Amino acid sequence: MLGYPTDFVDRMFRVNRYPNARAHAALRLFLLLAALLLGLATEAPHIAAAQQTRFPSGKGGVANLEAKTQGRKGDVITADGDVDIHYGDTRLRADHVEYDSKTYEAAATGHVQLDYGDEHLEADEAHYNVSTGHGRFHNVRGAVKIERRPNPALLISDNPLYFEARDVERFPGDLYLIHRAWITICDPQHPKWQFYAPNARIHLDKTVALINANFRLFRVPLIWLPYASAPAGRKVRASGILIPDIGQSSRKGFIFGDAFYLAPNPWMDATIGAQYMSRRGVLERGSFRAKPFENTSMEYTYFGVQDRGLLNSNGTRSPQGGDQQRLEIQSLLPGGWRFVTDYDHLSSLTFRLAFADSFGEAINSEVRSAVFLTNNFRGFSLNFAGLDDKSFLTLPTTTTSSTGVVTQVPGTSVTLRNLPEARFGSVEQSPWRHLPVYFGFDGFAGVVFRSDQTIQTSNFVDRYELAPRVTVPLHFGPWLGVTTSAAFRTTRYGDSYNSAGLLTSSAISRNTGEFTVEPKYTGSACGDARL
């Protein structure tokens, strides 16, 4: 009916002179309004929709350009108003764009935004090739998301890398050259720390390099670096020279040192460094870490000083140099075996007191080492171990007699060593299912050694021990129970002291017994209570 001419509809209603003519007039008005609204609705998209252009781009792709208004002069397309160019994974937006469809170059101004993968740039103006990915940007603010492999030994942030710069040039292969750059991973609106560099290079999935940079905390410059680099990819470590150590100490004098960090592969790294101390000598540091397998890790550290000693009042020097070392190895082996090494070495307590990094370390006079291989299975435990415990008692001193004779008194210490040693034991188990009698045992065999200012044994003094035990729980009604245990322990030492107090190779044995009774009262109202 909407397709009828309006004059025909008018004539049709004039012929009909029924009493409901007013209703027919209202219907005619409704049909006219409906036809008008339908016409406006069909024309509205042509007025409001943005102009869209598709044209071939480099590498056989197709670039899509949308804008409110477009014009073309030869190969150059001029677009204004919410310009949006899509090409593959690249999106370029701006207020005004001049695009050369022959060279694929786009000159953009006003609220320029470039998005490519995890990269986002905002600039005042840009010249960008949508085909090659090369571009130049002015007054830039950018964010780059860096994926890092999780590492329990390093603190890793999920924040992207933020930067602001006067000029940025982007090259294919995710390479950025940045001029007058501010770089941080903090909140860009309120950064706690930043790096400023006149020139910087960001190579995604590889490194960030800064030239003539300085580190700033709350905009205050703290550290100047002629060159600095950091990983910018899944690899969180990179080989290179670390930040130098420069300082002044009343006991060490002027301090200058540096170290080299080596990370040849993801599961191994090493650090080698040295410090020059004007009043003392040369300090050496080294560390090695490796995790060659999923359940195996090792770490070695070395710290030593070639000390000249402080100058005494009489013009002599008292060197306090030495070294300390530590080796840690942990490994979970097949079959339920576990291997652990914790080896410590300290040349002298004097060295530790003079060069310890903390007060807690300086006052620790014990050096302990342990190596063991253990396996627990079906209630049994089998262990092979070596233990060494050295306690420093006194420091070396110098005494002068009344006649002027100077005597050097060495420091004293106590050394206890159990190496090698094998232990085999069992928790209490019942060999009979219905008989409550439980058996267990502990036994070991090994050699021991002791050295102090009064005792010096041979390097290998054999020692053996066996301690079987039996436990029988008894019940007297529902309210009283008694647990009885009996154990016998026999120990044999390969060396002993004679009546004159001299150490001999005569063996000595010691036998002891133990019997315990533990009553247990069970009350229905009070629960369990032991007497």
Side-chain angles (χ1 to χ4, degrees), residues 181-314:
W182 295 88
I183 299 177
T184 185
I185 60 172
C186 299
D187 180 5
Q189 301 299 326
H190 306 284
K192 295 182 175 61
W193 63 264
Q194 291 175 303
F195 274 101
Y196 172 76
N199 297 286
R201 182 190 66 204
I202 299 177
H203 199 171
L204 295 186
D205 295 331
K206 291 188 178 180
T207 60
V208 175
L210 309 176
I211 301 174
N212 195 23
N214 60 73
F215 174 79
R216 303 192 179 195
L217 183 64
F218 296 105
R219 295 281 183 173
V220 178
L222 296 180
I223 303 175
W224 173 79
L225 301 170
Y227 178 83
S229 65
R234 293 182 58 82
K235 184 179 179 182
V236 298
R237 304 175 301 174
S239 301
I241 300 175
L242 302 181
I243 298 177
D245 299 324
I246 303 176
Q248 180 72 32
S249 170
S250 59
R251 294 183 57 84
K252 300 178 181 179
F254 174 73
I255 302 173
F256 177 78
D258 207 344
F260 181 79
Y261 179 73
L262 177 65
N265 49 57
W267 56 267
M268 180 178 66
D269 63 7
T271 304
I272 302 175
Q275 283 183 350
Y276 168 75
M277 301 175 292
S278 61
R279 300 192 61 186
R280 304 305 295 259
V282 179
L283 181 149
E284 304 160 348
R285 292 182 184 270
S287 67
F288 172 80
R289 300 183 303 176
K291 193 171 183 180
F293 309 104
E294 179 65 25
N295 297 320
T296 300
S297 63
M298 59 185 67
E299 181 175 358
Y300 171 78
T301 58
Y302 172 84
F303 172 59
V305 176
Q306 305 294 328
D307 183 34
R308 297 192 306 270
L310 295 174
L311 188 64
N312 300 322
S313 58
N314 57 3

Side-chain angles (χ1 to χ4, degrees), residues 414-437:
V414 177
T415 301
L416 303 176
R417 185 172 65 238
N418 297 356
L419 179 68
E421 182 181 85
R423 290 181 175 268
F424 186 56
S426 169
V427 299
E428 295 177 345
Q429 304 181 72
S430 176
W432 303 285
R433 178 177 300 179
H434 301 291
L435 185 62
V437 180

Side-chain angles (χ1 to χ4, degrees), residues 413-416 449-457:
S413 62
V414 177
T415 301
L416 303 176
F449 167 80
R450 180 185 176 105
S451 174
D452 56 34
Q453 61 272 25
T454 59
I455 300 176
Q456 179 71 38
T457 68

Side-chain angles (χ1 to χ4, degrees), residues 8 51 62 92 159 224 232 301 346 382 419 494:
F8 174 75
Q51 299 182 23
V62 176
L92 179 65
N159 295 346
W224 173 79
T301 58
L346 177 64
L382 178 61
L419 179 68

Side-chain angles (χ1 to χ4, degrees), residues 37-60:
L37 291 176
L38 182 60
L40 292 176
T42 55
E43 293 295 330
H46 298 284
I47 298 175
Q51 299 182 23
Q52 187 176 29
T53 304
R54 296 171 60 86
F55 41 83
S57 184
K59 302 179 182 179

